[in-house]
């Protein structure tokens, strides 16, 4: 009995005969071809995509007990039959050619269409680079994230890194998807390679730097930050990253030292004001405050001294004074506050100056419940007269109000203020004295 | 039926019914008793579509929140996971599935992705060995959720294509319920957020806008501090103050709310006091009721009057809470700076109020909002100014914010000035975005929603309607992104026969989010006598400046 090759194929492949072959794959294949044909005869009506470019609510579920021999997820090619959720009467009159075999005949556009519906599709047969790129372009043109990602997974596996990168460089949409996908699955290595290839050096640097947020251990984080230093940040950011590293390095030392002191129990400041939290990973200004609080008098040589911090991180005067003020005011160390603002000029005279407005100083002092005498002194130093009067009134610095009213020659206001001071007090007397003075040329 | 959805020109209940139907269909597919395991984030949006009663009708007996390790015991046949397509949630689901107690009665697992399935998620489930455990694994396109009679939101990120798909789907739903295929909307305007980055950064000044700014409105609900809402009982010494936040629903079903929500906050007080007088008078009527008939009539009105009184009490309390904020010195200072920037004053220097805020370590979001506002009003900041701000921020709030600042730059919100030109003043002048004279009580222009600033987005819509964009071609070219108009010709028989005096309906879709103040501005335009257009508003997300910037911040740990 001689058959032609064609007949033989047909014989073995026809569903009537349960094939006995040595090749597992074929066996399953033929079984599935049979069921596939059966299913195709109930072809989904919703397939008329052409006029209605629409991502429909798809109810297609995967059947129970799917079979999968492929170890890792390849390209939607495992579940092999699809079950339409709604069954429709088979459309008579559809040309037979429409019922295609599952593996060989679907064109690129058909493939993409099937992928959009969440149906299965083997991408394996697209072997040439040209086919693969066309597949990608088709996926991009239908704007479906899932499809683009599916194709990219396939390309990532079947193309060399260099070719993949080279091709994506020209295709912005696909490139964006790849970057997003790599971020999602945490493939930091490939992401960094990609940025390096694209010469998006700054993003490369930032992407690497971002990883520090995932490292809890301070020592390890510090080491990691060190690796960030040479990276191609912008000039400004490079300096900041360097500072970040230096700061953490210092904080680790300070923390270790202070914990030791605290436990030893000999140091007054730690006994009186036990620390509420560790200084690790705190911002620079917070660290400075801590230093001004616990280590104010230390010499420049130690890592924990405020002066050292100021120098190392080039903290501007304004910021420094504000922070030191806040810390010393909290400790009610008024002499220290005084010293902050006192400077000796070349003649030996002392004068009070501040790189921040004195109104700010007053606010901070008030917040820390400074005694009125201290408040008064600083309210007096406020330059703007209206502000001075405002603050003095607000904080009940009577003498300042009285003196200012006199300076402004504002009788009405002084008269009005009289009712706010205690009867028979020294302040009342002072007011009366001014009011009756003939030396003052009141304007009202 | 959600009453408040039928009030507008377009009956959005149709949409709501459609999504409810699909939910029912899916639940019935998983036949038998069931328990739903919820992704917490979804409970809010779902609450706008279906109540528990609907779920119960379809044999949902228990509901759990998605969390790790083993699922709670429940005597149900089916377990259905309702989740967003997020990788970290897949890990939790897998844990649940794998630690299922084999000794108990077997339960069927199902999975519903909302709003769409994701390849990466299914891959993850596969890698964890549980993909095949789900019998029904589907997606539920809860895309556009109707919030009110004229407002829809996706409450998610959405791409342009998805939006276009949704338009088509909406059309299908609506035309399905009517006999002939009349177009529902005369115009569709798609606006990308990038066209107007400024507006969400400014503090909203409408009643609803302020509620959102201060307390945050989620899925039409707001949580408020309970102290002001404790019922005053006679003889109670103020004991037992409630500790749980007071939750209120806010939509146009509440008459009073519908009246005041879009007003500038300064105009709300007089409405409330007038209302108080009206309601008092109504209650006083009981003294005038003499005949049985009159008494009966009074009694029948009572429920409505009591509801009105309750509503008035709530909103008076809310207004008081808001007033505490708006009369504070800091609010005033902040608003002054915002208005200075928006009217073009001193946008090119370091601002001392912002410096102060950083020095006092005010919340970073507040600082960033102001700096971004300055940047947008200046078409980018001078390098020196930008570097100065950046340095202050990093030193005060932490170096990891290098990443936050980079994100802001990518979004175009905070960037160096290129080309040395600031073209925002031209845009502002041509489109009249800053109006010095604002009538907050009886507004004549959309700028009332920010007490001076007219939202660029809404101004564009306004000009499109009359006289058309031809008149502002030059300015349009200064705005980011291309713009184009397309007309879809209709066969004569299908052209909507408009009644005399009837307005056109425009669907305006904001891609990238919209604020309540912009919505108020559009509603203002809709009710203008000679406006000519009514608006239905749709968006990817309801947002405000704070929630917007939050999404761009890097979070430590």
């Amino acid at each position: 009995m001689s058959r032609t090759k064609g007949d033989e194929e047909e014989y073995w492949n026809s569903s009537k005969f349960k094939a006995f072959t040595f090749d597992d794959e074929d066996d399953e294949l033929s079984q599935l071809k049979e069921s596939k044909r059966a299913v195709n005869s109930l072809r989904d009506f919703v397939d008329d995509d052409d006029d209605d470019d629409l991502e429909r609510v798809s109810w297609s579920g995967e059947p129970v007990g799917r079979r999968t021999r492929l170890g890792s997820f390849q390209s939607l090619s495992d579940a092999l039959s699809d079950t339409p959720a709604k069954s429709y009467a088979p459309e008579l009159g559809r040309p037979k050619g429409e019922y295609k075999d599952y593996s060989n005949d679907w064109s690129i556009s058909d493939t993409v269409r099937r992928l959009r519906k969440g149906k299965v599709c083997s991408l394996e047969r697209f072997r040439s680079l040209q086919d693969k790129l066309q597949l990608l372009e088709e996926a991009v043109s239908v704007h479906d994230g899932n499809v683009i990602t599916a194709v990219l997974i396939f390309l990532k596996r079947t193309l060399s890194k260099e070719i993949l990168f080279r091709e994506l460089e020209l295709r912005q949409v696909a490139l964006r998807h790849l970057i997003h996908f790599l971020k999602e699955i945490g493939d930091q290595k490939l992401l960094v390679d990609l940025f390096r290839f694209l010469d998006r050096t700054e993003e490369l640097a930032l992407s690497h730097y971002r990883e520090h947020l995932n490292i809890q251990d301070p020592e390890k984080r510090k080491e990691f930050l060190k690796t960030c230093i040479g990276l191609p940040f912008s000039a400004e950011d490079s300096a900041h990253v360097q500072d970040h590293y230096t700061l953490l390095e210092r904080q680790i030392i300070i923390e270790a030292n202070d914990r030791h002191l605290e436990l030893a129990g000999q140091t007054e400041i730690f006994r009186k004001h036990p620390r509420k939290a560790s200084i690790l990973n705190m911002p620079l200004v917070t660290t400075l405050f801590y230093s001004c609080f616990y280590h104010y008098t230390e010499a420049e040589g130690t890592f924990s001294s405020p002066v050292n911090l100021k120098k190392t991180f080039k903290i501007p005067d304004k910021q420094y004074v504000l922070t030191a003020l806040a810390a010393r005011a909290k400790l009610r160390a008024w002499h220290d506050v005084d010293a902050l603002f006192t400077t000796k000029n070349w003649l030996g005279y002392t004068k009070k100056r501040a790189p921040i407005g004195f109104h700010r100083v007053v606010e901070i002092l008030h917040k820390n419940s400074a005694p009125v005498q201290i408040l008064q002194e600083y309210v007096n130093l406020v330059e703007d007269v209206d502000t001075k009067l405002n603050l003095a009134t607000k904080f009940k610095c009577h003498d300042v109000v009285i003196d200012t009213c006199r300076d402004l020659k504002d009788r009405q206001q002084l008269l009005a203020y009289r009712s706010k001071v205690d009867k028979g007090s020294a302040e009342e007397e002072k007011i009366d004295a001014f009011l009756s003075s003939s030396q003052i040329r009141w304007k009202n | 039926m959600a009453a408040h959805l039928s009030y507008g020109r377009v009956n959005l209940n149709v949409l709501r019914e459609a999504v409810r139907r699909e939910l029912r269909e899916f639940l019935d597919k998983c036949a038998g008793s069931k328990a739903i395991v919820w992704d917490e984030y979804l409970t809010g949006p779902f609450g706008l579509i279906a109540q528990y009663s609907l779920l119960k009708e379809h044999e949902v007996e228990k509901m759990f929140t998605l969390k790790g390790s083993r699922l709670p015991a429940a005597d149900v046949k089916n377990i259905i996971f309702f989740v967003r397509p997020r990788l970290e949630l897949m890990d939790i689901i897998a844990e649940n599935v794998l630690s299922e107690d084999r000794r108990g009665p077997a339960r069927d697992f199902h999975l519903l992705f909302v709003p769409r399935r994701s390849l990466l998620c299914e891959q993850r489930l596969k890698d964890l060995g549980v993909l095949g455990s789900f019998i029904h694994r589907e997606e539920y396109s809860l895309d556009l959720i109707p919030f009110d009679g004229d407002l829809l939101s996706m409450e998610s990120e959405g791409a342009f294509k998805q939006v276009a798909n949704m338009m088509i789907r909406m059309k299908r739903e609506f035309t399905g319920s009517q006999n002939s295929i009349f177009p529902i909307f005369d115009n569709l305007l798609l606006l990308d957020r990038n066209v107007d980055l400024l507006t969400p950064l400014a503090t909203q000044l409408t009643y609803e806008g302020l509620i959102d700014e201060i307390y945050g409105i989620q899925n039409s609900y707001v949580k408020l501090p309970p102290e002001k809402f404790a019922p005053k009982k006679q003889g109670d010494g103020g004991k037992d103050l409630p500790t749980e936040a007071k939750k209120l629903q806010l939509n146009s079903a509440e008459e009073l709310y519908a009246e005041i929500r879009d007003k500038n906050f300064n105009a709300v007080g007089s409405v409330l006091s007038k209302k108080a007088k009206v309601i008092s008078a109504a209650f006083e009527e009981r003294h005038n009721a003499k005949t049985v008939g009159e008494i009966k009539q009074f009694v029948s009105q009572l429920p409505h009057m009591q509801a009105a009184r309750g509503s008035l009490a709530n909103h008076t309390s809310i207004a008081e809470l808001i007033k505490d904020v708006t009369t504070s010195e800091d609010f005033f200072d902040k608003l002054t700076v915002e208005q200075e920037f928006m009217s073009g004053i001193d946008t090119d220097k370091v601002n001392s109020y912002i410096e102060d805020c950083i020095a006092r370590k005010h919340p970073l979001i507040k600082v960033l909002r102001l700096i971004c506002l300055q940047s947008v009003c200046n078409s980018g900041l001078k390098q020196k100014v930008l570097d100065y701000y950046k340095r202050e921020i990093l030193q005060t709030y932490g170096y990891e914010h290098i990443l936050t600042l980079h994100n802001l730059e990518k979004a175009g919100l905070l960037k160096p000035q290129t080309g040395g030109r600031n073209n925002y003043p031209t845009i502002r002048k041509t489109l009249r975005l800053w109006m010095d004279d604002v009538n907050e009580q009886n507004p004549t222009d959309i700028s009332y929603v920010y007490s001076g600033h007219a939202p660029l987005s809404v101004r564009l819509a306004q000009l499109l309607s009359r006289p058309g964009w031809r008149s502002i071609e030059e300015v349009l070219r200064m705005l980011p992104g291309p713009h184009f108009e397309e007309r879809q010709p209709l066969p004569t028989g299908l052209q909507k026969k408009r009644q005399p005096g009837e307005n056109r309906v425009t669907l305006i879709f904001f891609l990238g989010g919209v604020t309540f103040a912009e919505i108020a501005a559009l509603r203002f335009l809709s009710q203008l006598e000679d406006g000519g257009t009514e608006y239905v508003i749709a968006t990817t997300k309801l947002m405000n400046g704070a929630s917007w910037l939050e999404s761009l911040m890097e979070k430590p740990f």
Side-chain angles (χ1 to χ4, degrees), chain B residues 389-407:
Chain B
Y389 279 144
K390 274 170 110 162
R391 197 150 180 273
E392 298 270 291
I393 287 175
L394 295 177
Q395 289 187 341
T396 310
Y397 298 97
Y399 290 108
E400 66 268 18
H401 291 293
I402 292 174
L403 299 163
T404 304
L405 295 171
H406 184 78
N407 290 341

Side-chain angles (χ1 to χ4, degrees), chain B residues 142-155:
Chain B
L142 186 61
D143 279 322
L144 268 182
I145 307 166
F147 272 69
D148 218 307
D150 58 355
L151 178 62
L152 304 137
S153 174
M154 284 170 67
E155 290 304 291

Side-chain angles (χ1 to χ4, degrees), chain B residues 195-351:
Chain B
V195 160
D196 179 9
L197 293 175
L198 197 164
T199 301
L201 293 170
T203 304
Q204 301 170 71
L205 297 176
T206 58
Y207 181 62
E208 186 165 41
L210 277 167
I211 297 178
D212 188 38
E213 292 274 346
I214 302 172
Y215 296 106
I217 300 178
Q218 298 292 339
N219 300 303
S220 301
Y221 280 91
V222 66
K223 286 200 184 132
L224 299 158
E227 303 84 51
K228 282 206 152 76
F229 297 93
K232 286 197 219 22
K233 293 199 183 94
Q234 257 104 353
D236 247 356
K239 62 177 169 104
D240 282 348
L241 273 178
T243 47
E244 253 191 52
K246 171 93 177 163
K247 200 168 170 194
L248 280 179
Q249 187 176 31
L250 301 170
N251 61 38
S252 61
E254 192 183 349
E255 231 175 275
L256 176 60
Y257 189 66
E259 206 183 321
I260 58 178
R261 75 196 300 188
D262 297 322
K263 288 196 181 312
N264 183 297
F265 181 63
N266 287 334
V268 168
S270 58
V271 174
L272 291 179
S273 57
K274 268 196 213 116
K275 202 57 108 168
K277 293 200 183 89
V278 168
I279 292 180
S280 293
F283 273 96
E284 287 302 303
E285 279 297 299
R286 71 179 185 280
H287 299 306
N288 298 341
K290 301 274 180 347
T291 71
V292 171
E294 282 173 356
I295 295 175
K296 256 184 119 171
Q297 195 189 32
F298 179 81
V299 169
S300 71
Q301 304 257 17
L302 216 45
H304 179 255
M305 284 159 57
Q306 280 167 337
R309 183 165 62 181
S311 175
L312 177 66
N314 279 339
H315 287 290
T316 305
S317 299
I318 297 177
E320 279 169 17
L321 286 169
I322 295 180
K323 212 171 169 76
D324 285 339
V325 174
T326 59
T327 49
S328 72
E329 208 176 313
D330 190 65
F331 185 85
F332 178 78
D333 289 339
K334 180 181 76 168
L335 200 61
T336 307
V337 169
E338 285 183 14
Q339 302 219 321
E340 277 173 4
F341 287 160
M342 292 192 287
S343 56
I345 299 171
D346 284 343
T347 56
D348 55 350
K349 325 184 170 59
V350 170
N351 180 282

Side-chain angles (χ1 to χ4, degrees), chain A residues 59 62 73 78 146 363, chain B residues 117 123 126 137-138 360:
Chain A
W59 294 112
E62 309 268 325
F73 189 88
D78 30 356
N146 275 332
E363 263 165 39
Chain B
R117 66 202 296 173
Q123 157 90 82
K126 192 161 195 301
R137 194 172 80 235
E138 302 182 5
R360 288 177 230 228

Side-chain angles (χ1 to χ4, degrees), chain B residues 386-444:
Chain B
L386 185 57
D387 287 340
Y388 182 82
Y389 279 144
K390 274 170 110 162
R391 197 150 180 273
E392 298 270 291
I393 287 175
L394 295 177
Q395 289 187 341
T396 310
Y397 298 97
Y399 290 108
E400 66 268 18
H401 291 293
I402 292 174
L403 299 163
T404 304
L405 295 171
H406 184 78
N407 290 341
L408 290 175
E409 185 170 346
K410 267 206 316 214
L413 289 165
L414 179 64
K415 56 179 193 175
Q417 204 177 49
T418 50
R421 271 215 62 196
N422 176 12
N423 58 16
Y424 183 68
T426 310
I427 299 173
R428 186 183 63 234
K429 287 191 191 99
T430 316
L431 300 179
R432 290 160 65 237
L433 298 182
W434 181 259
M435 309 288 276
D436 276 310
D437 282 315
V438 176
N439 188 329
E440 288 165 350
Q441 307 291 334
N442 299 300
T444 52

Side-chain angles (χ1 to χ4, degrees), chain A residues 202-339:
Chain A
E202 212 182 324
E203 265 192 82
L204 169 67
L206 288 163
S207 193
H208 182 81
Y209 173 72
R210 182 180 283 109
E211 285 298 299
H212 85 269
L213 293 169
N214 294 331
I215 304 173
Q216 311 301 350
D217 176 69
E219 275 293 333
K220 294 207 178 91
R221 188 184 272 204
K222 182 192 82 172
E223 288 308 313
F224 179 83
L225 286 174
K226 201 167 184 188
T227 68
C228 296
I229 293 180
L231 295 178
F233 292 104
S234 66
E236 290 296 322
D237 284 344
S238 285
H240 293 309
V241 172
Q242 170 78 58
D243 281 348
H244 191 177
Y245 165 73
T246 311
L247 181 62
L248 184 55
E249 188 187 45
R250 299 286 169 96
Q251 286 172 338
I252 291 175
I253 296 170
I254 296 173
E255 178 67 23
N257 200 45
D258 285 359
R259 281 206 67 197
H260 183 77
L261 287 176
E262 217 172 16
L263 289 171
Q266 303 289 341
T267 323
E268 190 182 338
I269 185 75
F270 288 113
R271 283 208 327 260
K272 271 175 106 171
H273 301 273
R275 303 185 315 149
K276 295 207 191 85
S278 134
I279 194 61
L280 294 171
N281 296 312
M282 291 290 125
L284 177 61
V285 171
T286 312
T287 311
L288 179 61
F289 179 89
Y290 175 94
S291 162
C292 289
F293 196 90
Y294 288 108
H295 300 277
Y296 196 54
T297 51
E298 275 170 39
E300 199 179 310
T302 66
F303 280 148
S304 43
S305 83
V307 188
N308 191 312
L309 281 174
K310 181 179 200 288
K311 243 184 150 184
T312 310
F313 296 99
K314 300 195 193 50
I315 300 175
D317 280 343
K318 226 167 150 180
Q319 183 64 270
Y320 183 82
V321 166
L322 256 176
T323 312
L325 169 64
R328 298 331 282 172
K330 190 149 190 207
L331 285 166
R332 307 182 71 75
W334 310 123
H335 288 302
D336 290 334
V337 171
D338 228 36

